[in-house]
C-alpha cells in the first residue's frame, strides 16, 4: 500500500513488497528458528542454550515482537495447527525441542521480565519442514 501510494507501477510495488518480507528478521525469521532448533539438537542441550542466550553469545529466535508484548495470539493458533499437520505428516522431531524451549523460557524470569514470548515464526518453520 505504501509503495503503490508513491505512484510506482504495480510490478515495482509487488517486487518491493516481496523484498520487504525477505531476510532473517522478517520473512526469513521462521527459517532462522529452524536453524536455531537444529543447532540446539535435543532437549538435553536447552539449559546450556538458555545460558548462552543470557550471556548474549547466541540469539533466541522466534521470541519477542515489536507489537505483541505478551504471548503472540497468532503463535497459539499456529501451534495448534502444527499439531494437526503432524497428525497427518508425522511428527517433526524439532517440535519436541521447540516445545521444551518454549516451556523453559516462559518459566524463566529473564525472558518474562523482558516480555519475550514466542511469536508466530516460532512454530511456522516446523510446519514448513514437515
Amino acid at each position: 500500500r505504501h509503495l503503490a501510494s508513491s505512484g510506482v507501477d504495480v510490478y515495482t510495488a509487488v517486487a518491493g513488497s516481496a523484498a520487504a518480507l525477505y531476510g532473517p528478521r522478517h520473512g526469513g525469521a521462521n527459517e532462522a528458528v529452524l536453524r536455531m532448533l537444529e543447532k540446539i539438537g535435543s532437549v538435553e542441550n536447552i539449559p546450556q542454550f538458555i545460558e548462552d542466550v543470557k550471556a548474549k553469545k547466541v540469539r533466541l529466535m522466534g521470541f519477542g515482537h515489536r507489537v505483541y508484548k505478551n504471548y503472540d495470539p497468532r503463535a497459539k493458533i499456529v501451534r495448534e495447527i502444527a499439531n494437526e499437520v503432524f497428525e497427518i505428516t508425522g511428527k517433526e522431531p524439532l517440535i519436541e525441542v521447540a516445545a521444551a524451549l518454549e516451556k523453559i523460557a516462559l518459566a524463566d524470569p529473564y525472558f518474562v521480565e523482558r516480555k519475550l514470548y514466542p511469536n508466530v515464526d516460532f512454530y511456522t518453520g516446523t510446519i514448513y519442514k514437515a
Side-chain angles (χ1 to χ4, degrees):
R1 194 167 90 187
H2 293 306
L3 289 168
S5 70
S6 70
V8 300
D9 61 277
V10 68
Y11 302 105
T12 303
V14 170
S17 299
L21 291 174
Y22 181 76
R25 297 240 174 136
H26 203 288
N30 48 29
E31 185 179 339
V33 170
L34 277 177
R35 283 194 301 269
M36 175 191 72
L37 294 172
E38 288 169 350
K39 186 175 179 181
I40 294 170
S42 68
V43 173
E44 294 79 29
N45 297 331
I46 293 174
Q48 181 58 54
F49 177 79
I50 292 289
E51 291 307 313
D52 289 346
V53 169
K54 291 178 184 179
K56 301 190 186 312
K57 294 179 182 177
V58 295
R59 291 189 62 182
L60 178 61
M61 304 305 292
F63 273 67
H65 192 275
R66 190 176 81 108
V67 174
Y68 299 114
K69 299 302 178 192
N70 293 310
Y71 202 103
D72 183 343
R74 304 169 303 165
K76 288 181 182 179
I77 295 167
V78 170
R79 185 176 186 190
E80 291 173 17
I81 291 171
N83 291 329
E84 293 174 21
V85 169
F86 299 143
E87 286 178 17
I88 297 167
T89 65
K91 200 169 212 177
E92 164 57 45
L94 291 178
I95 196 69
E96 300 296 333
V97 177
L101 179 59
E102 176 185 16
K103 183 178 179 181
I104 291 168
L106 291 179
D108 191 311
Y110 177 89
F111 301 103
V112 175
E113 289 168 7
R114 288 165 175 77
K115 298 186 183 295
L116 294 175
Y117 300 94
N119 62 41
V120 71
D121 296 310
F122 189 67
Y123 284 103
T124 54
T126 57
I127 293 173
Y128 293 153
K129 190 167 184 218

